Amino acid sequence: MKKIFTLAIMGLAMTSMPFGAMASEHISPVSVENSDCLGARSDNIYTGDEDVNKWEITYNDGILTVTWMNFVANCCSEGFKTWFERDGDKLIFNAEENEALCNCICNFDVTSTFGQIEPGHYTITFCNYGHEVFTAEIDIEEGADISLSKKPSGIRAISPANEMVSLSADGVLHIASEGKVTVEIFDASGATHARINADSNADIDIKSLPKGIYLAKAKAGNRIESLRFVR
C-alpha cells in the first residue's frame, strides 16, 4: 500500500496514512471536456497566476458543472477522466489524464457535468491523481455559482518527470516502484536531507524543506531514476 512520508525539520521521515478512499458511491460524469493547452511550462521554473488552482461550480436544472482551471497535466494527454465519490454529505472530486505521451507539462481547463448530485450542503475535496489538493464547504442549490481557489506550493520540477519519480503541484513527490525502493533527497551542495526506505510506492511531502534546489534519487534494485526540483 502506498504510504505518505512527511519530512521532519531535521530531515528524518515520519509515516502517516494516505488520503484514502471512503466507502462511497461512485458517480461518473455525463460529459468531460478540456481546453487546449494553456501554455507549456516545462522549461519555466517559476510561474505566476496561471498555476493557481481554481474551481468554478454551477448548478442549473439539476446539472452540476465543475471546471478545474489550470489542471496540470502532460501536454500530449489523450483527454481526461473525472468522477465523484460520495459518502453522505462528503464529495470527493477526482481528476486525472487518460494517458501521457510526452515529457512536457501544460495547464488545462477541464469541465465535467454530473446529473446525479442533489442539492444540499457538502464538504467537497478535490484530488488529482488520487492526491488531495483542496477541501471546502459548499452549498449546492439551483442557480448556484461558486468560485474556489488555492495557490500552489511554489515547488517546481526543473527536470522531466519519469516513471519512478514525479512531483505534484501541491509539493508531494510520487515514487512508483514494483518492489522495495530507497529515496534520497540532496541539496545543491550534495548534503543529504532525507533517506527513506519504502516497501513499494510512496508519497513524500517535501513542503518542510528549506528554500533551494534539490535532487530526489530513487533506487529499486538496479534501476535508478532522479528528479531535480526547486523548493
Side-chain angles (χ1 to χ4, degrees), residues 35-42 47 50-51 73 75 105-108:
S35 68
D36 292 332
C37 174
L38 300 177
R41 60 184 190 85
S42 57
T47 53
E50 68 272 13
D51 279 336
C75 288
I105 298 172
C106 281
N107 295 82
F108 296 86

Side-chain angles (χ1 to χ4, degrees), residues 16-33:
S16 62
M17 293 300 293
F19 181 79
M22 302 181 296
S24 56
E25 175 189 3
H26 179 99
I27 301 176
S28 298
V30 175
S31 65
V32 180
E33 299 178 355

Side-chain angles (χ1 to χ4, degrees), residues 58-151:
T58 62
Y59 192 79
N60 293 291
D61 298 327
I63 299 297
L64 180 70
T65 302
V66 180
T67 299
W68 189 321
M69 304 170 70
N70 301 315
F71 186 85
V72 178
N74 190 275
C75 288
C76 309
S77 171
E78 292 192 341
F80 296 85
K81 56 185 175 183
T82 65
W83 69 95
F84 269 114
E85 299 291 339
R86 178 172 59 185
D87 182 14
D89 62 354
K90 294 181 176 62
L91 293 172
I92 296 179
F93 181 84
N94 298 273
E96 57 188 53
E97 62 192 26
N98 282 327
E99 186 176 2
L101 303 177
C102 57
N103 289 327
C104 62
I105 298 172
C106 281
N107 295 82
F108 296 86
D109 289 346
V110 181
T111 299
S112 309
T113 57
F114 297 84
Q116 309 99 310
I117 305 294
E118 300 82 10
H121 181 82
Y122 292 93
T123 298
I124 186 169
T125 298
F126 297 93
C127 295
N128 61 354
Y129 309 100
H131 304 282
E132 181 180 3
V133 176
F134 183 68
T135 297
E137 292 193 10
I138 61 172
D139 289 310
I140 295 177
E141 56 189 16
E142 184 64 28
D145 188 352
I146 303 167
S147 296
L148 302 170
S149 66
K150 177 192 175 184
K151 290 191 175 182

